[in-house]
Amino acid sequence: MILPLFQIVTIAVVALYLSHWRAGVRRRNQQSWESLLARLRSDWSARELSGHFLWQEGVEVAPEEIWKRMEGPKGLWVIYQNARVMLEMADYANRNGDGVDRIVLETLRSDAMQIRLCVLMALGQYGFSQASEGVRVNAYRAASLYTGMAARLTQLLQEHAAVVVPDFVSAM
Amino acid sequence: MERPLTPEAFKEALPYAGIAVEAVLVALLVHGRVYRRLPVFFWFMTWNLCCDATMLFAFCRVSVDAYLRFYLVSLTLETLLEFAVLAELGLVVLRYNRARAPRRSMLLLLLMVATLLVWSLARWSAPQNLPQLSQLYIHMRQAFAILRVAFLLAIAWWNSLQDLRWPDEALRVATGIGFYSIVELAVNIAHTRQSYGPAYQYLDEAMVLSYLGTVFYWVLSFGQKEEKRQKIAAQT
């Protein structure tokens, strides 16, 4: 009795996952700059961590204090979501601008992936051990990568889609 | 006098309808020059059309054994072509995003996880009241259905990790393959709990219908694009 149930549930989950993935890809293909901006979360900003956020890479806060400035998991989740949106913004600039450097795009893609990995690890650890040393280290790594990614994206937008930079800066 | 559409007549008409829809799709792929952008997909559909037409022609003229042997060979080649289509879609997406190919180790890992997940669904059994060749055919169908869904899952996971965009054409092809692959997997799993009889055949027909529906969807979507392109050309 258990096997048929397992088979039915797994097939349903696989089918749902594939249709959800397809819907996501379709939505992504049809996005405008405005819809991307609207998806950026602004209820927490990495300006708390660096006075030169968006213009320079790096965090100016010690790892011990970073958790407080991030407002705990809230800041981490904002970083997680914004990393994805920023990657889509880079894609948008690539589609609408001319000759965006492939290496810059690759770097942004790799940044986004690493950030999400760090955030997930930090949140996972937080679930078990609250703000332990490991959580703070992963949060610091995620924040540091996030500032680097944001600086690279700002530079890319300045070079290939300068008109949209003010909106981006204010949304971040 | 018109013949009423009985289930038997419907069953008889299915192969002809399939060949007709496949022929229209191949014509559209040539007309829209899709064969340049998705050559493997074009050859996959052309292969399907040729095979289906040959098998329909051979059905009444050769023995059941010879027919099944030919079918097993064509099924294997069709599946290999299908995997090649999925690989082609991956390459198209990489080119479209100007992204670097993922590490082989990562793709292998994703494929292994996906295969394990889908493999756990299979029970590897076939009705005992069928001849050996038919049982081999059923086992091959099960294995191919599982591998195809595993391949699709690996592509979807890799795509989610990389956040890549898909060109419309490639997404349509993936949608179609995904749809009938899931139906085929579900039918194959249901078959493992059945003995050969009318219910078994109904499920087989559902599988054929899902493939036909997919080809019809491709005809509509590739045809629509051509219509739109012509409208734009007429306006300019």
Side-chain angles (χ1 to χ4, degrees), chain A residues 44 49 65-72 74-76 79 139 143:
Chain A
W44 178 83
L49 308 176
E65 208 194 326
I66 206 156
W67 190 247
K68 213 190 304 171
R69 296 263 189 124
M70 274 183 152
E71 297 174 35
K74 180 187 169 190
L76 271 179
I79 286 179

Side-chain angles (χ1 to χ4, degrees), chain A residues 76-138:
Chain A
L76 271 179
W77 197 240
V78 170
I79 286 179
Y80 182 93
Q81 292 186 319
N82 282 358
R84 183 176 209 142
V85 181
M86 286 193 327
L87 183 57
E88 292 180 26
M89 286 177 155
D91 264 340
Y92 182 89
N94 179 35
R95 257 179 298 157
N96 298 292
D98 48 339
V100 172
D101 191 357
R102 188 180 157 167
I103 295 169
V104 177
L105 276 179
E106 276 302 315
T107 315
L108 286 168
R109 200 162 276 134
S110 153
D111 284 343
M113 216 155 108
Q114 286 187 61
I115 288 170
R116 283 180 286 168
L117 210 66
C118 285
V119 170
L120 288 179
M121 277 166 69
L123 287 177
Q125 286 170 324
Y126 179 73
F128 286 107
S129 58
Q130 296 296 311
S132 67
E133 184 70 27
V135 175
R136 283 200 295 269
V137 168
N138 275 317

Side-chain angles (χ1 to χ4, degrees), chain A residues 7 17 22 28-29 94 100, chain B residues 98 121 157 163 166 175:
Chain A
Q7 288 175 328
Y17 172 75
R22 183 188 176 274
R28 199 170 168 193
N29 280 356
N94 179 35
V100 172
Chain B
R98 296 166 69 211
L121 296 172
W157 280 342
D163 275 330
W166 280 59
T175 304

Side-chain angles (χ1 to χ4, degrees), chain B residues 29-236:
Chain B
L29 296 180
V30 172
H31 187 61
R33 297 187 180 182
V34 180
Y35 62 88
R36 286 189 181 171
R37 300 182 294 274
L38 298 169
V40 185
F41 175 63
F42 170 72
W43 285 114
F44 166 67
M45 283 319 302
T46 310
W47 169 261
N48 278 358
L49 173 62
C50 294
C51 268
D52 290 349
T54 311
M55 281 194 291
L56 189 64
F57 176 75
F59 188 63
C60 333
R61 290 171 177 78
V62 295
S63 67
V64 177
D65 262 16
Y67 179 81
L68 256 179
R69 274 195 201 99
F70 175 73
Y71 195 72
L72 287 180
V73 175
S74 82
L75 175 71
T76 311
L77 286 171
E78 182 193 315
T79 309
L80 288 176
L81 267 172
E82 228 162 20
F83 288 132
V85 171
L86 291 174
E88 178 179 61
L89 293 181
L91 287 175
V92 166
V93 170
L94 280 178
R95 270 203 303 271
Y96 190 63
N97 289 274
R98 296 166 69 211
R100 221 176 21 195
R103 281 190 214 134
R104 275 185 198 165
S105 53
M106 194 180 126
L107 266 187
L108 263 178
L109 182 77
L110 286 177
L111 193 59
M112 273 168 60
V113 174
T115 310
L116 270 177
L117 174 74
V118 188
W119 210 280
S120 59
L121 296 172
R123 261 197 356 167
W124 301 111
S125 61
Q128 295 302 311
N129 54 343
L130 282 178
Q132 220 171 4
L133 208 58
S134 300
Q135 290 198 12
L136 174 69
Y137 159 72
I138 288 168
H139 285 310
M140 278 174 73
R141 281 218 89 108
Q142 285 173 349
F144 289 151
I146 284 170
L147 283 174
R148 203 163 39 226
V149 173
F151 209 108
L152 263 168
L153 272 178
I155 288 185
W157 280 342
W158 160 71
N159 186 78
S160 303
L161 283 175
Q162 297 268 312
D163 275 330
L164 299 173
R165 280 177 304 114
W166 280 59
D168 277 348
E169 257 172 13
L171 189 61
R172 271 182 231 145
V173 173
T175 304
I177 293 180
F179 172 67
Y180 77 75
S181 296
I182 289 280
V183 174
E184 200 174 327
L185 182 66
V187 169
N188 275 305
I189 286 172
H191 274 351
T192 59
R193 304 187 168 277
Q194 288 179 305
S195 56
Y196 194 71
Y200 195 98
Q201 286 179 338
Y202 287 143
L203 280 181
D204 269 347
E205 279 156 26
M207 198 160 71
V208 173
L209 274 177
S210 77
Y211 172 72
L212 270 184
T214 299
V215 181
F216 194 65
Y217 160 72
W218 282 333
V219 165
L220 284 182
S221 53
F222 282 104
Q224 233 173 28
K225 198 186 172 196
E226 191 51 38
E227 227 171 69
K228 265 186 200 167
R229 198 185 296 150
Q230 280 170 359
K231 267 185 196 167
I232 292 165
Q235 280 167 4
T236 49

Side-chain angles (χ1 to χ4, degrees), chain A residues 45-56:
Chain A
S45 169
R47 287 194 175 90
E48 301 282 332
L49 308 176
S50 164
H52 306 288
F53 178 60
L54 292 178
W55 311 105
Q56 235 174 52

